[in-house]
Amino acid sequence: MIHLSAAEMAAKLVAGETSSVALTQAHLDRIAAVDTDVHAFLFVNTEGALEQARAVDAKRAAGEKLSPLAGVPLALKDVMTQKGVPTTAGSKILEGWRPPYDSTVVTNLKNNGIVILGKTNMDEFAMGSSTENSAYGPTHNPWDLTRIPGGSGGGSSAALAAFEAPLAIGTDTGGSIRQPAAVTGTVGVKPTYGGVSRFGLIAFSSSLDQAGPCARTVLDAALLHEAIAGHDPKDSTSINAPVPAVVKAAKSGDVKGMKIGVVKELNGDGYQSGVRTRFEESLELLAAAGAEIVEVSAPNFEYALAAYYLIAPSECSSNLARFDAMRYGLRVGDVDGASAESVMNLTREVGFGREVKRRIILGTYALSSGYYDAYYGSAQKVRTLITQDFNKAFEKCDVMVSPTCPTTAFKIGEKSDDPIAMYLNDIATIPVNMAGIGGMSLPAGLAPEDGLPVGFQIMAPAMQDQRMYLVGAALEAALLTKWGAPLLSMAPALVVK
Ligand code: GLN
């Protein structure tokens, strides 16, 4: 049962061939069997999940009309608050914190009857590309346990690839949904900024953070997208407009006459040869499906990474000031006579990891009065230029495409001492966040040289998210015909068979 897609699981529930309790228990059993090796989860909410499942089964038995994914289990990135459930954002500083409220994403999941299995591992405060920055130890890629599952949402992507959950929630500030999807052979979507509420999403960089669906198929991602998206008065940047019709698009997959723009600057030098091979092959399949392939240029993408590493740390230095040892989680040095300042210092010293401290220092520096214009101000101007590049390119095409990442999954430990090498993983995903538009990654096959998954990225204009699903569904269908089986069925190391 755990190998089915979420849509297939939902159909079995509707047909009465299984129950949500049985489905949930099957996934809890799978987690118990494989998660000591994978370490996708920081907390498994056995009782809470079964209770939710029982409630859905009871409603179904009573003949209530349920939403499409009712009764299907999901893994939740630990950056989302869930009332009463331990929430750490991968940080020691939040150890033991149980939020007093649900994030809007969680409220929406609950209202749709989606069963939350537990909280998934992540880089501390979503800063990283490998999940090695988690204070609770790394997650392992189910394709090869010695490799990274991507980051920051490596727990969510690994849970999908190891069949511990058919659906997951991720958040994407610079690529943390799409890059983990790419290196685990799964699907990840960063919706248009403002498309999914940020209320209860523990903030890293507020102008870039966006929650989105992670799944094993394009249709499953679309079903989850529609379940979590929509206007939320509790988030002032939430868009008050109808949710794009992504399920309809995922079911259609008709790309005849669509113009697909290949970004000249996001290919070539620095991209692994097998990544390029699979990318080119995907373009041919899309052309065969009736799309027109054109080349587009985005000259300012070259500066996106540098600008991101000023804007994101600047915003994080401000956002993370709230972890002051007074309000949440950890408190260190609280002895008689200690000042609030010394408790704050000691707690932040012990509670934050190296990468988080690096970014707080970087951001504080970039925002300081003498350097504000030179660094933060310039980065904001670059951000505008990147948006203009997208606007110009979208005059010539309906979606833009590129490889999701320059390489396949690297080894755990390979880049952990080299922040710049780590940052370069997001070279192709960051422009999307800078412009606030949508981006999807889906599997394009295995790189011939190492047999590891390659991701294909699709980018669409703001609030045109359905276009990514059209193109994603077309490519997924063409690749399925070519391979004869879904990519994940080819994973050699999938821990437990
Ligand atoms: N890897 C990028 C970073 O470290 C992006 C992270 C994310 O999207 N949350 O900032």
Side-chain angles (χ1 to χ4, degrees):
M1 208 147 52
I2 59 171
H3 295 99
L4 300 174
S5 70
E8 289 163 344
M9 290 178 195
K12 284 204 181 293
L13 288 168
V14 170
E17 289 167 26
T18 188
S19 67
S20 179
V21 168
L23 200 53
T24 302
Q25 190 58 56
H27 286 93
L28 291 169
D29 292 347
R30 175 69 175 178
I31 293 169
V34 303
D35 211 52
T36 27
D37 289 330
V38 178
H39 193 224
F41 284 87
L42 292 178
F43 180 77
V44 181
N45 192 6
T46 306
E47 268 322 300
L50 287 170
E51 194 185 307
Q52 247 194 303
R54 277 191 293 269
V56 176
D57 285 341
K59 281 186 185 168
R60 199 182 304 276
E64 266 186 52
K65 189 169 158 28
L66 300 174
S67 55
L69 289 173
V72 178
L74 166 142
L76 182 65
K77 189 176 178 182
D78 202 27
V79 73
M80 284 287 174
T81 62
Q82 183 180 357
K83 191 175 176 179
V85 174
T87 300
T88 68
S91 182
K92 275 269 179 278
I93 213 159
L94 278 175
E95 198 165 21
W97 184 54
R98 288 178 187 252
Y101 68 105
D102 279 334
S103 52
T104 297
V105 164
V106 166
T107 303
N108 292 346
L109 292 171
K110 288 180 175 174
N111 289 343
N112 279 277
I114 297 169
V115 175
I116 305 171
L117 295 167
K119 308 299 290 287
T120 56
N121 200 14
M122 53 183 284
D123 286 298
E124 185 175 6
F125 289 110
M127 299 175 195
S129 302
S130 67
T131 316
E132 291 165 287
N133 293 335
S134 167
Y136 303 97
T139 297
H140 301 261
N141 190 324
W143 285 81
D144 173 351
L145 295 173
T146 67
R147 292 179 189 269
I148 60 105
S152 63
S156 286
S157 65
L160 295 170
F163 296 95
E164 295 172 89
L167 299 168
I169 295 293
T171 60
D172 192 312
T173 305
S176 286
I177 288 177
R178 290 162 288 157
Q179 181 258 7
V183 299
T184 56
T186 57
V187 179
V189 181
K190 178 219 166 291
T192 296
Y193 181 81
V196 176
S197 170
R198 286 186 301 110
F199 178 76
L201 191 183
I202 297 171
F204 159 17
S205 180
S206 312
S207 76
L208 300 162
D209 297 341
Q210 186 59 207
C214 309
R216 289 189 292 256
T217 71
V218 172
L219 176 60
D220 286 359
L223 290 164
L224 183 55
H225 189 140
E226 288 196 4
I228 59 173
H231 181 240
D232 179 12
K234 290 183 185 146
D235 170 2
S236 62
T237 57
S238 167
I239 295 175
N240 193 355
V243 176
V246 296
V247 170
K248 192 173 155 222
K251 284 182 175 163
S252 141
D254 182 1
V255 291
K256 274 185 213 76
M258 265 184 101
K259 280 200 178 143
I260 296 183
V262 179
V263 187
K264 200 173 97 192
E265 288 78 6
L266 297 180
N267 205 347
D269 279 356
Y271 288 79
Q272 189 180 319
S273 85
V275 168
R276 289 163 65 178
T277 310
R278 291 302 169 230
F279 179 67
E280 298 300 332
E281 180 185 275
S282 298
L283 293 178
E284 281 166 26
L285 290 172
L286 286 169
E292 186 189 336
I293 312 293
V294 298
E295 190 182 75
V296 293
S297 175
N300 294 295
F301 281 16
E302 187 185 334
Y303 310 110
L305 194 72
Y308 172 88
Y309 277 100
L310 288 168
I311 292 171
S314 295
E315 293 188 15
C316 101
S317 71
S318 161
N319 273 326
L320 270 56
R322 64 169 61 87
F323 301 105
D324 57 4
M326 304 297 139
R327 285 177 282 191
Y328 318 89
L330 190 72
R331 181 178 295 173
V332 179
D334 187 7
V335 293
D336 256 4
S339 67
E341 202 175 35
S342 84
V343 172
M344 216 178 279
N345 280 338
L346 283 168
T347 304
R348 286 168 71 87
E349 167 60 29
V350 173
F352 287 141
R354 252 182 354 151
E355 183 63 22
V356 171
K357 285 178 186 156
R358 183 181 356 256
R359 296 198 191 192
I360 292 174
I361 292 168
L362 194 64
T364 307
Y365 180 81
L367 290 175
S368 59
S369 66
Y371 298 106
Y372 185 97
D373 288 337
Y375 294 113
Y376 185 74
S378 305
Q380 290 291 16
K381 287 178 191 160
V382 170
R383 190 171 185 173
T384 302
L385 292 174
I386 290 165
T387 305
Q388 288 171 351
D389 277 2
F390 272 116
N391 291 345
K392 261 199 209 123
F394 281 131
E395 284 170 11
K396 294 197 199 123
C397 60
D398 301 301
V399 295
M400 286 159 71
V401 296
S402 76
T404 310
C405 335
T407 70
T408 55
F410 49 91
K411 293 263 188 196
I412 292 175
E414 194 180 320
K415 298 186 182 177
S416 44
D417 289 329
D418 184 351
I420 305 283
M422 193 67 86
Y423 297 170
L424 280 166
N425 282 290
D426 298 316
I427 194 126
T429 48
I430 279 175
V432 161
N433 303 75
M434 296 292 258
I437 65 169
M440 168 190 281
S441 178
L442 78 153
L446 305 178
E449 60 273 22
D450 55 22
L452 291 167
V454 170
F456 184 90
Q457 178 175 233
I458 307 164
M459 301 165 266
M463 290 310 275
Q464 299 297 330
D465 299 26
Q466 76 285 352
R467 292 189 197 168
M468 305 187 282
Y469 287 92
L470 271 180
V471 176
L475 180 57
E476 183 183 57
L479 285 168
L480 190 61
T481 308
K482 189 178 150 100
W483 301 329
L487 193 73
L488 276 169
S489 66
M490 301 168 207
L494 265 189
V495 200
V496 172
K497 301 290 167 189

